Each structure stands twice: as C-alpha cells, then as structure tokens.
Amino acid sequence: MDDVTVVTQRLQTRRDLTTAAVRLFTERGYDETTVDQIAAAAGVARRTFFRYYQSKDDVIFPDHDDTAAQVAAVLDEAGEDEDPLQVICRGIWQVMRMYVADAELSVTRYHLLRQVPALREHEKAVVSRYERLLARYLLERAERETAQGSHTVDRPLLAEVSAAAVVAAHNHVLRQWLRSGGQSDVEAELEHALSLVRAGLANFSVDAGAQQPETLVVTVAHTGRTPSEAVAAVRAALASQK
C-alpha cells in the first residue's frame, strides 16, 4: 500500500468518525452519545477512534490541525516586502476554505454547537489558535523591522488588535454563511469584509506606533516685523520649547 493510499484512508477514517459523531449527537444528544457508539457507527474499533481523537469533543473539529498548518505555511512563505495585513488576510482565507469544503457538515455542526455549550466553548479554544498565529506573524515581522532600526513599545498591542480584527471579520462572514445554510456568496462577502478591515487598519498597523522623527512646522504670517525681527522671534519661541 503506497503512502498516498494510506493518507487517503486516514483522512477518510477521520471524516467518517466526524460524520458519525455529528449524526449521533444530533439524533441522541451529546451527553447520551459515547465514544464506543461513534466508533461503531463509523465502522471502526474503539482504539482506532483514540488514534485519531483524544475525546468526543475533538471529533467534531477534524480539520483544524491541518488548517492551522496551512495558515502557518502561508505566513512562513510570505515575502518580507509584502504588506503584513495582506498576508494575514490571505492566511485567514485558508480557514474559510476549510469550512466551505464540506458545507453540509459545517452547517450541521453549526446548529449542533448552538445546542451544546460544551462544544461551543471547545470551538472557541480551537479557533483562537488562528488569532495567535496571525498575531505572532505580525509581531515577528515587527521585531525584524525593529532590528533594522525602527522601534515601538506598542507593537505587541497593535499585532494582537490587527489579528483580532481580521479573525473577527472572518467569523462574522462565516456565521452569516452558516445561518444561510451555506447559500450566501461567502467569497465575495469575506473579501468585502477584509477590505473594510484593511482600510480601517491602514493607519493602525504594527508600524503605526513606530517612533517618527519630530516634524518642525514653521508658520509664516504678516506681522509688520522686519525679517531679522521675525527670525529672532522664531528663535525665542523654539528656545522656550526646549
């Protein structure tokens, strides 16, 4: 059996376990469903279940590990000359594609999560890793630029705020799509949402807090003074500001 076949079979087994779990949770209830029942419904042994998932909570979210790796790859492969906001927006697209790839499962799972608080909390913990990935990328970019001469103590804050904004936009569009039963134009809506975020963050990015050189503004007005008197007045005013 070649490696491709093995990987395909593993992915199918993961998906079969997830499909079985979602169906049983919906039909019987989350608390009433056991790991043994999920494994039996998927046609595998109990020990096979635990080779793929640590608990029945994890089985609901089969693709997040792979998707997180894909997001990390997008960030790692980005060029140093690319706009960091564009890069993290490209990264968050990987998450949306994961949900859209199996719309029926995603919609069914969405309705299930609304009914089971434990799963909803588990989802929040799982999804938060994307925000951490994006924030870490922004901060690492900022630190590399700091090493080249620029500096700001605000960059950790700005990195987290920017990452949170991008993830919030994604989650807003995702919820709208799930509520529509997977029928809305999610690609256009996400691109629109991210464009709004990029515009809003244009002057509030990981570079926005960089210390800028002081700017001297000179105002010229008709005062009736001679040029030498005006120069003396400017010098006196500047001296008073030191």
Side-chain angles (χ1 to χ4, degrees):
M1 185 179 298
D2 58 59
D3 292 342
V4 174
T5 301
V6 170
V7 171
T8 300
Q9 288 184 349
R10 287 176 178 171
L11 290 174
Q12 187 59 52
T13 299
R14 288 171 63 89
R15 183 51 55 87
D16 289 344
L17 285 166
T18 297
T19 301
V22 170
R23 178 172 59 80
L24 290 174
F25 290 163
T26 301
E27 293 175 355
R28 303 183 181 184
Y30 170 76
D31 291 330
E32 290 71 27
T33 300
T34 66
V35 167
D36 287 337
Q37 291 170 338
I38 295 171
V44 300
R46 174 186 173 87
R47 64 178 179 276
T48 300
F49 176 96
F50 286 109
R51 280 207 296 266
Y52 290 92
Y53 302 107
Q54 295 182 351
S55 69
K56 66 178 185 179
D57 290 350
D58 293 325
V59 73
I60 294 295
F61 310 100
D63 300 321
H64 282 293
D65 287 340
D66 292 338
T67 302
Q70 292 168 10
V71 173
V74 168
L75 304 180
D76 290 341
E77 294 167 4
E80 289 296 310
D81 59 338
E82 291 190 74
D83 177 1
L85 286 177
Q86 292 280 6
V87 173
I88 65 172
C89 286
R90 194 160 70 243
I92 206 66
W93 265 103
Q94 300 299 318
V95 185
M96 184 62 78
R97 292 189 181 103
M98 179 266 290
Y99 283 98
V100 174
D102 194 335
E104 182 178 357
L105 174 62
S106 295
V107 171
T108 302
R109 179 171 54 198
Y110 171 74
H111 292 296
L112 177 63
L113 294 179
R114 305 285 69 76
Q115 302 169 19
V116 184
L119 289 178
R120 192 157 61 247
E121 291 304 311
H122 189 77
E123 180 193 37
K124 291 178 182 177
V126 170
V127 173
S128 68
R129 82 175 74 176
Y130 300 117
E131 189 171 321
R132 294 195 299 272
L133 275 173
L134 303 186
R136 185 167 66 243
Y137 164 77
L138 292 176
L139 187 55
E140 289 174 352
R141 277 285 299 265
E143 288 173 345
R144 288 196 294 272
E145 292 170 7
T146 296
Q148 297 171 1
S150 59
H151 175 69
T152 173
V153 296
D154 294 329
R155 279 192 168 131
L157 170 63
L158 297 176
E160 290 188 15
V161 169
S162 299
V166 167
V167 172
H170 166 274
N171 291 346
H172 173 81
V173 172
L174 175 61
R175 284 192 298 271
Q176 296 299 317
W177 177 73
L178 291 170
R179 289 168 183 166
S180 76
Q183 299 302 310
S184 63
D185 188 352
V186 70
E187 291 190 9
E189 291 173 3
L190 181 57
E191 184 52 45
H192 174 66
L194 292 178
S195 68
L196 292 177
V197 170
R198 287 194 298 269
L201 292 174
N203 296 314
F204 184 65
S205 67
V206 290
D207 294 322
Q211 292 179 354
Q212 300 296 329
E214 294 183 0
T215 301
L216 173 63
V217 178
V218 177
T219 301
V220 178
H222 295 286
T223 65
R225 296 181 179 182
T226 65
S228 60
E229 290 173 335
V231 170
V234 170
R235 285 175 176 170
L238 292 175
S240 69
Q241 298 301 314
K242 292 182 179 180

